[in-house]
Amino acid sequence: MQAPQSLVGKNKVDFLNAAPPVNYVAGLGRGATGFTTRSDIGPARDAAMPGPEAGPTMGRGRGRGAGGPGAPGGLKRGADDEEDARETQDYSESNYDEFEGYGGGFSDPFGVYTQEDKEADEMWDSVDKRIDERRKKRREDRQKEELTALQKERPKIQAQFADAKRDLSGVTMQEWDALPEVGDRTWKQRQKRNERFTPVPDTLLEKARSDTQQFTSIDENKGTDTPLDDLTQIGEARKTHLALQLRGASDSVTGQTVVDPKGYLTGLGSIKVSSETEIGDIKKARLLLKSVTSTNPKHPPGWIAAARLEEVAGKLGTARKLIAQGCKECPLSEDVWLEAARLNTPDVAKGILAQAVKSIPASVKIWLYASGLERGNLKAQKRVLRRGLEFVPNSERLWKAAIELEEPDDARVMLSRAVECCPDNTEMWLALAQLETYENARKVLNKARETIPRDPAIWITAAELEEAHMTNAAPKGEAVPAEVATAQENKIRAIIRRGCGVLALHHVIMDRDQWLKEAENAERRGSPVTCAAIVRETSSFNVEDEDRKKTWADDAEACMARGSITTARALYAHALEVLPTKKSLWLSAAHLEKLHGTRDSLDTLLQRAVTHCPKAEVLWLMGAKERWITHKDVAGARRILQLASAANPDSEQIWLAAVKLHGETNEPDKARTFLARAREVAPTQRVWLKSAILEREEGDMHAAKALLDEALVKFPTFDKLWMMRGQLAEQDPAAGVEAAREVFQRGVKSCPHSIPLWLCATKLEENAALMAKARAVLEKARLLNPKCPELWLAAIRVEVAAAPGASGKKAGMALLAKALQECPTSGLLWAEAVVMEDKPQHRARSL
């Protein structure tokens, strides 16, 4: 039967001629198993396959053609071939891809992969990369959220007990020690309870004892019945092992050993022979060091290491023989000679060192060691050191050791020779200057300065020499005249200044901190003038003009913290010379003198301070206070205040200080006169208040009221004047409560935000037993000053006092609840709440 024409496709696929699917086996569905014969394989090469002369063909790939006509190495296809390929292409479901279609990409599978295709692929790759970067942050945030949710859902044990671990930081050592031991409650430990022990026979115990017992004698019958085979094998194994070690440690070409004997020098001292293993190690080391000394006998560390090994092993005689042989092999090594002297007795060591100095006469170590052997015999020590100086005249160590043993006169002679042999040693020059007289010391220091121009210690020593000469020249018990002291200070400053210049010429760089350390050292040596000279000449190094005040003040405070008071005083003195108008510097210097100076030095400093800073009220007041309290000089304090008032006529503090001084000395008339003058020159509100207070203390209420009335006209917003005026009116029996109430009413109108004034008005009504008016005053005050705990507290206490008993307390508690709503953080109100509760409820209310 012929199929309808509509069911016949134009491009019908011939399934019989098409290639089978991948892994297809014919007949597998009905149980038949396919097989392959040689006829199915065919010849080794298909006749249709192009030969080598045809060139390679281009492979197919995604988005690439198979190579069109003209492509390098491709096969030429005609239109008919391509049409046939399309007709025979597999259009089954197994060859269909959702994105790439049937058997390949969207483009023609037989097309050429051009530059446009490449650009399109690169563009799509960049778009994919850009989209992935845009989604990266959201993806990471989502992963973090999922991780956080997972940790919350299934937290780790470490996170669950984090708060408990933090609380363990407050546990003390006593609490840790008091914790009981838990013990091991595992199943294995519990099983030990059920263990059973079976007694063993005595023969087994005797055998174990004999195996572990060590004998110090040999049995006559048995002797040393050790299997000879075992000893032979052990000896051969040890010989082989040692040969391998020696072969790896030595160089077979040059014959020189590469063993580091210094490692034995540092390690053998810690060896403690206590077991057979350590004895074996010593034997190995002995063989290795024997190889070192035999292959390279001129190597001193090898002999020293071998001798120390024997010393550690307890064979001192062998060690001495080895080191003696080392001295013969290495006669120019001072270490070998010193080791030989150390291993022998002092008498033998002297002979060894005598031979050593013949071989090495210039060895300083040998001469010093030989001098040490003569300890207890001063004359012999001197003889050895002087003999050493004949061979090594330029050794600073020998000169120092020899000079330390001499008397001052002999030391001076030896130092004179020492500075000739060692002219670059500053310490010897300075020591010689200390032993010489003043004139000779100056010559020595001048010569040292010419020889060593780059050392600042010489210049500092010269300045200290001048200061010591100045101090010694003055008669005992008498002070140095001011003119002489000034001249000497200028001379010392000139020495330091010249020294800084010479050092700068020789390119010696010393910063300000190093000079400050030198100044502190000079202070500790008892040279305050030299210390001050160093500070004044060097404290300006590398300091900008705008930073001078802060830098010098910080340096002075640091010196005070280190205990260098003289250096700090010199810093302040130099700073005040450069910046005399800085009030803070004068105050800091005065504080220093007050703590560590004398009364006279503080008085002198304050006099200089008020001369340079006449407008600094605090300096005038400090000077007057020191005169009054410390010196008990009332007249001097009064004189200082008079000068201060003349320099600062409008200073309220100075006028009030003068009034206080006269008031404390029971001179009210003079105080009244000063206050009258102050009201004219400096009419401040405090001056008027002090005037009224003075009159009240003297009992003249009429004058006090007059002063207050006049002051209220000038200063109506000063609440203290209103309070004092109201109190005077309340105390006046003639005026009564009405006058005081009128004063307070006027006061709260002028000062509506003065809480003390409102409380005074309330207190007036309470004293008059007018609780309703007191309540009204407080309500008005709270309207003008909301959220004020003081006013609420006064109102609560008024309510409690208005009705003694439970009703008053209840009203107070109700008002307290309102107050806490308005002022929930007020400590005053919470304290009152605790007090108002019953005693059993105090603790609960406070918490």
Side-chain angles (χ1 to χ4, degrees):
M1 179 178 179
Q2 187 176 3
Q5 188 66 26
S6 59
L7 299 177
V8 179
K10 182 179 180 181
N11 296 327
K12 183 178 180 180
V13 179
D14 188 2
F15 291 98
L16 298 177
N17 297 326
V22 180
N23 298 328
Y24 172 76
V25 178
L28 185 63
R30 62 178 182 272
T33 303
F35 57 92
T36 304
T37 63
R38 185 172 183 83
S39 60
D40 296 330
I41 298 174
R45 176 178 294 177
D46 190 0
M49 183 180 298
E53 66 277 1
T57 60
M58 295 183 64
R60 290 191 181 95
R62 178 182 178 184
R64 289 168 172 81
L75 297 176
K76 297 182 179 180
R77 293 177 178 270
D80 297 335
D81 296 337
E82 294 179 3
E83 184 67 22
D84 295 337
R86 290 191 179 93
E87 291 179 356
T88 60
Q89 185 175 358
D90 185 12
Y91 290 99
S92 63
E93 292 296 332
S94 61
N95 197 34
Y96 176 76
D97 185 83
E98 183 179 2
F99 296 98
E100 297 183 354
Y102 287 96
F106 294 105
S107 61
D108 186 3
F110 302 101
V112 181
Y113 186 77
T114 63
Q115 184 66 24
E116 293 181 356
D117 297 333
K118 181 180 180 181
E119 292 177 358
D121 290 341
E122 291 177 352
M123 185 175 295
W124 282 111
D125 291 340
S126 62
V127 170
D128 294 339
K129 185 177 180 181
R130 180 67 179 274
I131 293 175
D132 183 73
E133 290 178 354
R134 290 177 58 184
R135 296 173 179 174
K136 181 179 180 181
K137 187 175 184 305
R138 287 182 293 178
R139 183 171 64 254
E140 292 178 351
D141 293 341
R142 184 175 66 255
Q143 291 176 356
K144 289 181 180 179
E145 292 176 358
E146 292 175 356
L147 181 61
T148 304
L150 180 62
Q151 291 177 353
K152 289 182 179 180
E153 182 180 357
R154 301 175 62 185
K156 297 182 180 179
I157 297 178
Q158 181 179 5
Q160 293 178 358
F161 294 93
D163 53 345
K165 290 183 179 180
R166 286 193 296 269
D167 296 337
L168 290 178
S169 61
V171 179
T172 61
M173 293 300 299
Q174 292 77 8
E175 295 176 348
W176 279 112
D177 295 336
L179 291 177
E181 294 292 338
V182 177
D184 193 351
R185 304 298 298 169
T186 59
W187 175 253
K188 292 183 179 180
Q189 294 295 328
R190 288 198 295 268
Q191 285 292 328
K192 289 183 179 181
R193 297 180 179 179
N194 300 326
E195 289 182 356
R196 297 180 180 180
F197 298 92
T198 303
V200 297
D202 296 338
T203 56
L204 183 60
L205 295 177
E206 183 63 21
K207 183 178 183 303
R209 186 184 64 81
S210 61
D211 291 341
T212 58
Q213 186 175 5
Q214 296 181 357
F215 298 94
T216 59
S217 63
I218 300 176
D219 191 355
E220 296 179 356
N221 299 324
K222 296 183 179 180
T224 56
D225 293 339
T226 306
L228 296 178
D229 296 339
D230 296 341
L231 287 178
T232 304
Q233 294 176 2
I234 292 173
E236 290 177 355
R238 182 177 298 176
K239 182 178 179 180
T240 304
H241 181 66
L242 182 59
L244 291 175
Q245 287 185 340
L246 291 176
R247 190 179 298 111
S250 62
D251 188 354
S252 60
V253 178
T254 61
Q256 300 293 328
T257 179
V258 294
V259 176
D260 184 13
K262 294 183 179 180
Y264 292 99
L265 295 178
T266 58
L268 291 178
S270 60
I271 294 179
K272 182 181 179 182
V273 181
S274 59
S275 64
E276 295 181 359
T277 304
E278 294 177 358
I279 293 175
D281 294 340
I282 290 177
K283 291 181 179 179
K284 295 177 183 178
R286 185 181 290 118
L287 291 174
L288 288 174
L289 290 175
K290 185 177 180 180
S291 175
V292 171
T293 55
S294 60
T295 56
N296 190 7
K298 302 298 182 182
H299 190 57
W303 293 104
I304 297 174
R308 291 188 180 179
L309 176 64
E310 299 299 337
E311 181 186 8
V312 171
K315 299 181 179 181
L316 189 58
T318 307
R320 291 173 179 174
K321 291 180 181 179
L322 283 174
I323 202 64
Q325 187 178 357
C327 292
K328 294 179 182 179
E329 296 291 344
C330 307
L332 300 180
S333 174
E334 61 181 9
D335 293 332
V336 175
W337 288 106
L338 292 175
E339 186 68 16
R342 187 185 68 83
L343 292 175
N344 286 276
T345 60
D347 294 335
V348 179
K350 292 178 184 179
I352 293 174
L353 293 179
Q355 296 178 2
V357 295
K358 293 180 181 179
S359 302
I360 319 173
S363 175
V364 177
K365 291 183 179 180
I366 292 178
W367 287 109
L368 291 175
Y369 196 90
S371 174
L373 291 177
E374 301 292 345
R375 188 165 299 150
N377 189 352
L378 186 60
K379 188 175 180 180
Q381 276 187 290
K382 293 180 181 179
R383 184 172 62 252
V384 171
L385 290 174
R386 290 180 181 179
R387 184 65 174 169
L389 288 172
E390 293 178 4
F391 291 96
V392 195
N394 58 350
S395 173
E396 298 177 0
R397 296 177 61 188
L398 286 178
W399 278 111
K400 291 179 181 179
I403 292 169
E404 288 177 355
L405 300 176
E406 300 293 342
E407 298 295 331
D409 295 335
D410 296 336
R412 182 170 60 252
V413 176
M414 294 194 70
L415 281 170
S416 302
R417 177 61 179 164
V419 295
E420 294 177 2
C421 298
C422 305
D424 295 332
N425 191 285
T426 307
E427 187 176 354
M428 291 185 182
W429 284 104
L430 299 182
L432 179 60
Q434 291 179 357
L435 295 176
E436 294 286 355
T437 60
Y438 171 69
E439 297 297 335
N440 293 335
R442 293 182 62 184
K443 295 178 182 179
V444 170
L445 290 176
N446 289 332
K447 191 173 181 180
R449 175 176 53 81
E450 295 174 357
T451 306
I452 314 173
R454 298 172 59 86
D455 197 336
I458 298 176
W459 296 96
I460 296 174
T461 304
E464 292 178 352
L465 176 65
E466 294 296 336
E467 182 179 355
H469 178 68
M470 176 187 68
T471 305
N472 297 331
K476 294 183 179 180
E478 297 182 7
V480 181
E483 297 80 6
V484 177
T486 304
Q488 291 294 335
E489 290 177 3
N490 293 335
K491 186 177 181 179
I492 293 172
R493 291 186 62 181
I495 293 173
I496 298 298
R497 187 184 306 112
R498 185 181 176 189
C500 294
V502 172
L503 292 175
L505 289 176
H506 287 83
H507 306 288
V508 178
I509 301 175
M510 288 185 64
D511 56 9
R512 185 170 46 83
D513 295 334
Q514 293 176 334
W515 281 111
L516 280 180
K517 290 181 180 179
E518 294 293 341
E520 293 181 15
N521 294 333
E523 177 185 353
R524 296 186 185 97
R525 291 192 294 266
S527 302
V529 180
T530 303
C531 172
I534 294 174
V535 169
R536 294 188 180 187
E537 294 298 330
T538 61
S539 58
S540 299
F541 288 177
N542 301 327
V543 179
E544 300 293 338
D545 293 342
E546 58 271 14
D547 298 333
R548 290 182 298 182
K549 175 184 173 183
K550 184 179 184 303
T551 302
W552 289 337
D554 293 342
D555 290 342
E557 292 179 0
C559 291
M560 289 179 62
R562 293 191 294 267
S564 303
I565 306 303
T566 304
T567 307
R569 184 180 288 112
L571 281 167
Y572 280 127
H574 177 68
L576 292 173
E577 288 180 1
V578 179
L579 306 170
T581 58
K582 298 298 181 180
K583 182 177 68 174
S584 59
L585 290 176
W586 287 107
L587 289 174
S588 300
H591 180 67
L592 172 64
E593 294 298 334
K594 186 175 182 180
L595 293 177
H596 304 284
T598 60
R599 296 178 181 179
D600 297 335
S601 62
L602 178 59
D603 189 35
T604 303
L605 180 67
L606 291 174
Q607 289 180 7
R608 290 175 53 205
V610 296
T611 302
H612 292 284
C613 302
K615 297 298 182 181
E617 301 173 357
V618 63
L619 295 175
W620 288 105
L621 296 176
M622 184 181 294
K625 185 177 182 180
E626 289 297 325
R627 278 287 180 178
W628 176 24
I629 297 177
T630 305
H631 295 271
K632 306 298 181 182
D633 186 5
V634 179
R638 186 182 294 114
R639 184 168 56 255
I640 292 175
L641 290 174
Q642 289 177 355
L643 295 174
S645 60
N648 303 276
D650 55 347
S651 175
E652 174 188 287
Q653 294 184 0
I654 293 176
W655 285 108
L656 294 180
V659 171
K660 182 179 180 180
L661 176 63
H662 290 294
E664 295 290 339
T665 56
N666 296 325
E667 294 177 344
D669 295 335
K670 291 183 179 180
R672 189 179 289 109
T673 303
F674 265 90
L675 285 172
R677 177 64 178 165
R679 290 196 298 272
E680 296 176 0
V681 178
T684 62
Q685 53 190 15
R686 288 189 63 199
V687 170
W688 283 96
L689 181 62
K690 290 292 183 181
S691 300
I693 291 174
L694 177 62
E695 297 299 339
R696 185 180 64 178
E697 291 178 352
E698 294 299 323
D700 192 352
M701 300 300 177
H702 180 71
K705 291 179 182 179
L707 288 172
L708 289 172
D709 292 338
E710 187 176 355
L712 287 172
V713 175
K714 296 182 178 181
F715 308 102
T717 58
F718 189 37
D719 55 347
K720 291 186 179 180
L721 294 175
W722 289 107
M723 287 187 285
M724 188 174 178
R725 183 65 182 85
Q727 291 172 359
L728 291 178
E730 184 180 1
Q731 295 174 2
D732 188 3
V737 179
E738 293 296 334
R741 184 182 294 114
E742 182 182 357
V743 171
F744 284 127
Q745 288 177 357
R746 291 168 53 198
V748 296
K749 289 181 180 179
S750 301
C751 308
H753 300 293
S754 175
I755 306 303
L757 186 57
W758 284 105
L759 295 178
C760 288
T762 304
K763 192 67 177 177
L764 173 67
E765 303 298 344
E766 288 185 24
N767 294 337
L770 300 175
M771 297 301 177
K773 289 188 176 182
R775 189 182 295 110
V777 170
L778 288 173
E779 289 179 357
K780 186 176 181 181
R782 292 201 303 273
L783 290 175
L784 296 175
N785 302 278
K787 296 184 179 181
C788 181
E790 290 82 0
L791 295 176
W792 279 105
L793 181 61
I796 293 168
R797 292 177 178 176
V798 166
E799 294 296 338
V800 173
S807 59
K809 184 177 181 180
K810 184 177 181 181
M813 292 293 288
L815 192 59
L816 176 61
K818 295 181 180 180
L820 289 175
Q821 290 180 357
E822 187 170 350
C823 305
T825 60
S826 174
L828 288 173
L829 296 177
W830 282 109
E832 187 69 16
V834 173
V835 172
M836 292 182 67
E837 291 287 348
D838 296 334
K839 191 172 183 180
Q841 301 297 327
H842 281 182
R843 181 177 179 82
R845 188 63 167 174
S846 62
L847 296 177

